[in-house]
């Protein structure tokens, strides 16, 4: 069992930066791949980024590539999402999620691939 808690959201102007953190409980954090998803008002939850258990591989949605960076510190049981050059369209509730299984292809972009979820943190980008 893994419990996840996001923090670091808030209100920022367009072009600004935020760093989200996701703290995980449990001793097996390093066994999980981690992901970030987001859900804007009136829209479905969408994939943002993922990182493998070792941190050796990352993958990003096209909409955030080059602006967002996912990283993890297994010693601190924490995964991060550094968000730069924020745009109003980045406004959403951001969720972190943990995934125990490896999937070939792009199934890791599907929220159903993830086993545990945090409660989310609001990010609002003003124009």
């Amino acid at each position: 069992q893994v419990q996840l808690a996001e923090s670091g959201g808030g209100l920022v102007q367009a072009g600004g930066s935020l760093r989200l953190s996701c703290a995980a409980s449990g001793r097996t954090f390093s066994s999980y791949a981690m992901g970030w998803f987001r859900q804007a008002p009136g829209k479905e939850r969408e994939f943002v980024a993922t990182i493998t258990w070792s941190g050796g591989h990352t993958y990003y949605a096209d909409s955030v590539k080059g602006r967002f960076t996912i990283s993890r510190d297994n010693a601190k049981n924490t995964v991060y999402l550094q968000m730069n050059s924020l745009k109003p369209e980045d406004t959403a509730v951001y969720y972190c999620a943990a995934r125990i299984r490896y999937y070939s292809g792009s199934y890791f972009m599907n929220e159903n691939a993830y086993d545990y979820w945090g409660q989310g943190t609001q990010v609002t980008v003003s124009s």
Side-chain angles (χ1 to χ4, degrees):
Q1 189 80 6
V2 175
Q3 293 184 330
L4 305 172
E6 303 95 336
S7 62
L11 174 65
V12 64
Q13 289 187 334
S17 298
L18 281 174
R19 188 175 82 156
L20 305 183
S21 298
C22 174
S25 66
R27 300 180 180 178
T28 59
F29 174 74
S30 60
S31 300
Y32 290 82
M34 300 297 296
W36 286 96
F37 286 74
R38 66 185 182 185
Q39 187 168 21
K43 295 187 177 181
E44 294 185 352
R45 189 153 56 183
E46 65 175 1
F47 170 81
V48 175
T50 189
I51 188 167
T52 54
W53 65 272
S54 67
H57 295 280
T58 58
Y59 189 85
Y60 298 91
D62 287 342
S63 58
V64 306
K65 199 172 298 182
R67 300 188 298 122
F68 290 12
T69 302
I70 187 171
S71 61
R72 67 190 296 162
D73 185 338
N74 287 343
K76 295 182 178 180
N77 281 11
T78 302
V79 63
Y80 304 98
L81 186 68
Q82 177 66 44
M83 306 186 294
N84 298 329
S85 302
L86 283 161
K87 305 175 182 180
E89 50 263 44
D90 295 318
T91 295
V93 177
Y94 283 72
Y95 299 90
C96 70
R99 170 169 55 86
I100 189 64
R101 297 173 185 83
Y102 168 80
Y103 295 100
S104 61
S106 62
Y107 189 65
F108 58 80
M109 298 175 66
N110 189 314
E111 61 180 346
N112 293 321
Y114 293 79
D115 304 285
Y116 302 102
W117 292 83
Q119 293 299 307
T121 185
Q122 177 71 47
V123 171
T124 303
V125 184
S126 63
S127 58

